[in-house]
Amino acid sequence: MAHAHCKAHKKKPTKGRGEEEERGSEVSEEVSIQKTTMMRAQLHCLCLLTLYLTAGYGQERKFSGPLKPMTFSIFEGQEPSQVIFQFKASPPAVTFKLTGETDGIFQIQPDGLLYHNKALDRETRAVHKLQVSTLDVYGATVEGPVPITIEVKDINDNRPTFLQPNYEGSVRQNSRPGKPFMYVNATDLDDPTTPNGQLIYEIIIQLPKINDVMYFQINNKTGAISLTLEGSRELDPIKNPSYRLVVSVKDMGGQNDHSFSDSTSVNIMVKENIWKAPEPVEIVENSTDPHPIKITQVQWNEPGAQYSLGEKEKLSTLPFSIDQEGGIYVTQPLDREEKDSYVFYAVAKDEMGKPLAFPLEIRVKVKDINDNPPTCPSAVTVFEVQENEDIGSNIGTFIGHDMDEENTANSVLVYKIVDQIPKLPKEGLFLVQTYSGVVQLAGQSLKKQDTPQYNLTIEVSDKDFKTLCHVEINVIDINDQIPIFEKSDYGNLTLAEDTAVGSTILTIRATDTDEPFTGSSKILYRIIQGDSEGRLGIDTDPHTNAGYVIIKKPLDFETVAVHNIVFQAENPEPLVSGVNYNTSSSAKFKLIVTDVNEAPQFSQRIYQAKVREDVAVGTKVGNVTAKDPENLDISYSLRDNTRGWLKIDPATGEIFTTAPLDREAESLYRVQVMATEVGGSSQSSIASFHLTLLDVNDNPPRLAKEYTGLFLCHPLHQEGTLIFEVTDDDQRSFPSPHFSYSLVSESSRNDWEVSRVNGTHAKLSTKHTNFEEGLYSVPIRINDGGRPPLEGVVSLPVTFCTCVEGHCFQPAGHQPGMPTVGMAVGILLTTFLVIGEYNFSDSRIPVLGLRNLHLRVCLRGWSAGCLLTF
C-alpha cells in the first residue's frame, strides 16, 4: 500500500475543473514542484522502505483522504518512520503544516504524508493532540488548523511493581474468616483497561505451613489478605506468634505465559484475641439499686465494632442491654424464684452489619436472698401409727418447702412441735427431728380405745421466717385377733359331675374382732386340702366377710369321686408377734361327686393329614382316637364323605382311601368323624378330619380359553403375531410355569413359528407373508416341564381375511329369521321417509341426501363385517 502511494506522486495532476482552471494554476504548481522535487524523490525512496501498520488507519479505515478531523490509534513501541495517513490538499493549497503535541515525533511532508519518526510510548503520553493546516505558495493558511488525534495503544511493556518491598501486618486470633486485616498493592504503568494492566495476586509461600494447611488467603484482585476458616480456628500466638508470606503479582490477568510478575514479603504478627466470653456473672435478686446496672464487658479486637445482644432462649423480655462500648447492663431487678439463670449472646458487627466473629455466650446467675418464708406441704398432713408401736418408732416424715435456693442457708429449715391436742394421756407424746422432719413416738405406746387421733402444730422456720403447719396422727388398730369360723364342719354335699362351672355350692363364714374394714379384720379364704386340681374357688364378700365356694373347673367322677375339703381363714395384714392362726381359723366339708353318663371325647377337635393325590386305593391316610369317660367301647363312622374317597375302621379309627383322589377336583377334603358309645345311651361326639391332597403332574397343558376370533389382515404386509394363553390344571410351579412350545407338523413349521412370552403366554408368528385368504388350523405341542413331563396338542384357528377399520370383514350369510340385505335397505329408506317426508331430489337437504349419505348396515347376530355400504 505504501509503495503504491509513493508511485502516485509521479503521475500528472488530474484534470478535474476544466482547461481554464488548469492554466490558472499551472504557474503556482510549477513553483511548488521545483521546490519539492528533491524531497519527493527522497520520500519516494523512504516510502519504498516503509511498512504499513494496520494500527495507522483512521476512523474510516482508509490510508489517504482529504483534510478533516481524524483520530488514529497506533501501538506504542513500533519502529520509527511509520506512515500514518496521506492527506490530500485542495487548491490553492500546495503544502501542509503540522503543529501541536508533536514532541519531535510526528512530522508531515509538504504533500500531506503524516508519519512518526520515533517509537511511541503510551506511558509518556497516551494521546497526542495535533493540528494540520494547508498553505498556499505564499505560506498563507488555506484550510485548518484541523485537529488530528493520535491515540497510543498499549502493549505489555511494563512489569507490575509492589509499592513496598516488605509489608507488616497483624491479625487477632479467631478473627472472622474472609474479613481483610491488611492489603498489599502493586502498580503497572500499562493501560489498566486492558489485560496488560490487569493484576492478579497470589500467596505462593506461607511460613510456617503446619500440616500443609493454608491459614491465610488473598483476594486475587484487590490484594486483601484475610484468614481462612482453618486459620480462624488454629492461629495461636503462643504456638506461633508470627508468620511470613510471599505474595506474587502478575499482569495479563495471570493467564498468559508472557506476563510479567513481582513479589513481596509480608510479615504478620498474631495477636491474642480479646473477643472472649466474660466469666459468668452473679446478680443479687430483687436489687433496689437504680437500673440499668453494668454487670460485665465485651470488646472487639479493633475499634468501630457495633454491638448487640441475641437471645438463646425465647423470653417475653430480655432484661439486659449492651452499649456501643461493649458494656452489658441488667435493666431491671431479677427474681431468682421466677428464673434463676440467663444465657444470651453478645454479637459484634462491622459497619455493613456483617458479624465480625462468632457470638460470645454470656451467662448470668441470679443470686438468692432469703425472701421466701417456708411453706407447709398441705393444709393438714396425716400420719398413722399402730396402737402398740414401740417408743422411738418413726411415724412419718414432715417435709416443708422453701422457694429460696436449695442447699443454701436461705433454704435450710428447722422443725419444732409447739402444740399437741389432746394432751392425753400426757403432753410430749411425739417429737420431730430438728432438720430431717422425722416424727417419732416419744412418750409411750398408744391405745386407740383411749385416743384415736392427735393433732400437732409444727413450727417450720428458716433464718428469717417462721410458718406453723398442722399434722394429724391417727391411731390404728393392730391385727392381734384371728378369724374364727362360725362352725368347724359344714357337713356333706353331693353334686353331679356335670354341675355347671361358676355355680355357688356353699357359703362359709368367719368373724374377726379387729377394727372393721381394715386389713386386720378383712378375711381371705383358701382351700388348704382336698382340691389339688383347683376345681373349687372361694370369693369373699368385702362387706360381710362371707365366703362363697364356687366351681372353677368341671367336676369329674372318674378322676375323684369324694373331696375332703379343708378351709383356712386369714387376714391380709400380718398378725402381731406372738399371735398365730389355730384350728379355730379352719373348717371342713365333704364333697361327693356322682357319675353322669358322658359322650366320648376326642383327643383333638381337628385332625389333619397330607397325601399325594396319586396314592393307591386302600392307603391309610390318618387315624383318630376318642375315649369314653365311662370306659365303654367306641365305634367310629364318617359323615359328609361327599365324594366317597375315604372309609374308617369302626374299631380302630384308622382312615383309608376307597377311590382315586383328584387334587384338581378338591385340594382339601373335609369329612366329619363320629365317635359313638357301644352300649349305654349311645352318646356320640364329632371331630373333623382334613386331608390335604398334594399335587402330582397328571394333567397335560391346554389353552386357557377357546380361541375363535384370531385373525390377521390379508394380504400381509409384514410378519404377523398372535398372542395366546396356556394353562395347566395341576398346581402351578413357583415362580411361574415352565411351558415349552413346538409345532407338530413339518408344513406348519414352514409357515409358522411359536415362542414363549412369559409363564402363561406364548406367541404364534408367521414366517412369511404369502398366505391365502381363509382359515388355518395350526397344531401346537405344549410341554409342561413337570415331573414327569406331560404334553398336550392344541389346535389354534387363525383366519386371514380382508380388514375394514382394523376388523375382519366377512360376508354374512342369510340366517333363518334374519332380514335380507334388500329388506334392510328398504327398512332404512322407509324410516327416513317417515321421519321427515323428505324429497331426496331436494337440494336443500344436503345432510340426508343420498349424495352425502354413507350408511353401513350392521345387524345384531350377523357377522362382524358390515353388510352394505353406499
Side-chain angles (χ1 to χ4, degrees), residues 463-703:
K463 65 178 185 177
D464 297 313
F465 300 96
K466 294 180 180 180
T467 302
L468 296 179
C469 300
H470 300 285
V471 175
E472 179 183 298
I473 299 178
N474 295 316
V475 182
I476 61 174
D477 185 36
I478 61 173
N479 191 15
D480 56 357
Q481 301 295 321
I482 63 172
I484 298 175
F485 271 101
E486 62 181 357
K487 55 183 177 180
S488 61
D489 190 345
Y490 283 88
N492 300 335
L493 180 62
T494 301
L495 295 175
E497 65 176 334
D498 61 352
T499 301
V501 173
S503 301
T504 300
I505 61 174
L506 182 65
T507 302
I508 59 178
R509 190 183 305 274
T511 58
D512 192 311
T513 58
D514 286 315
E515 183 180 357
F517 306 109
T518 67
S520 300
S521 63
K522 183 179 180 180
I523 298 176
L524 300 177
Y525 299 96
R526 63 188 181 95
I527 298 173
I528 60 174
Q529 186 179 320
D531 187 24
S532 59
E533 296 184 358
R535 297 181 185 274
L536 303 180
I538 306 174
D539 293 335
T540 301
D541 188 321
H543 301 288
T544 65
N545 272 342
Y548 302 103
V549 183
I550 62 174
I551 297 178
K552 291 174 57 179
K553 296 180 181 179
L555 304 177
D556 188 5
F557 170 81
E558 289 75 21
T559 303
V560 180
V562 177
H563 298 264
N564 292 305
I565 305 297
V566 177
F567 303 115
Q568 177 76 29
E570 300 173 346
N571 302 126
E573 187 74 24
L575 295 173
V576 298
S577 178
V579 179
N580 299 300
Y581 296 108
N582 56 36
T583 56
S584 298
S585 299
S586 62
K588 64 180 180 178
F589 94 107
K590 179 183 289 187
L591 175 60
I592 301 170
V593 181
T594 59
D595 186 30
V596 175
N597 189 20
E598 301 168 275
Q601 297 177 357
F602 280 99
S603 59
Q604 57 194 73
R605 291 179 55 198
I606 299 175
Y607 295 83
Q608 299 186 70
K610 294 181 180 179
V611 67
R612 286 168 53 95
E613 65 174 325
D614 61 348
V615 296
V617 174
T619 300
K620 179 182 174 180
V621 294
N623 190 77
V624 298
T625 57
K627 182 179 180 181
D628 184 70
E630 289 75 38
N631 291 324
L632 296 176
D633 291 336
I634 294 174
S635 175
Y636 299 97
S637 60
L638 296 180
R639 298 175 59 182
D640 296 332
N641 188 14
T642 55
R643 295 186 181 275
W645 285 352
L646 303 176
K647 69 176 180 178
I648 190 168
D649 188 310
T652 64
E654 295 178 309
I655 300 175
F656 301 88
T657 63
T658 59
L661 307 179
D662 186 1
R663 188 204 66 84
E664 288 70 37
E666 193 164 353
S667 60
L668 179 62
Y669 191 55
R670 299 178 178 89
V671 296
Q672 289 187 332
V673 182
M674 178 179 290
T676 306
E677 294 177 342
V678 178
S681 56
S682 299
Q683 294 198 66
S684 62
S685 58
I686 293 176
S688 296
F689 179 75
H690 295 172
L691 181 62
T692 300
L693 302 184
L694 304 177
D695 187 48
V696 296
N697 193 26
D698 57 352
N699 290 278
R702 60 179 177 81
L703 293 176

Side-chain angles (χ1 to χ4, degrees), residues 832-846:
F832 293 146
L833 292 174
V834 171
I835 290 174
E837 296 182 357
Y838 292 119
N839 182 356
F840 285 161
S841 62
D842 192 343
S843 61
R844 291 173 301 171
I845 312 175

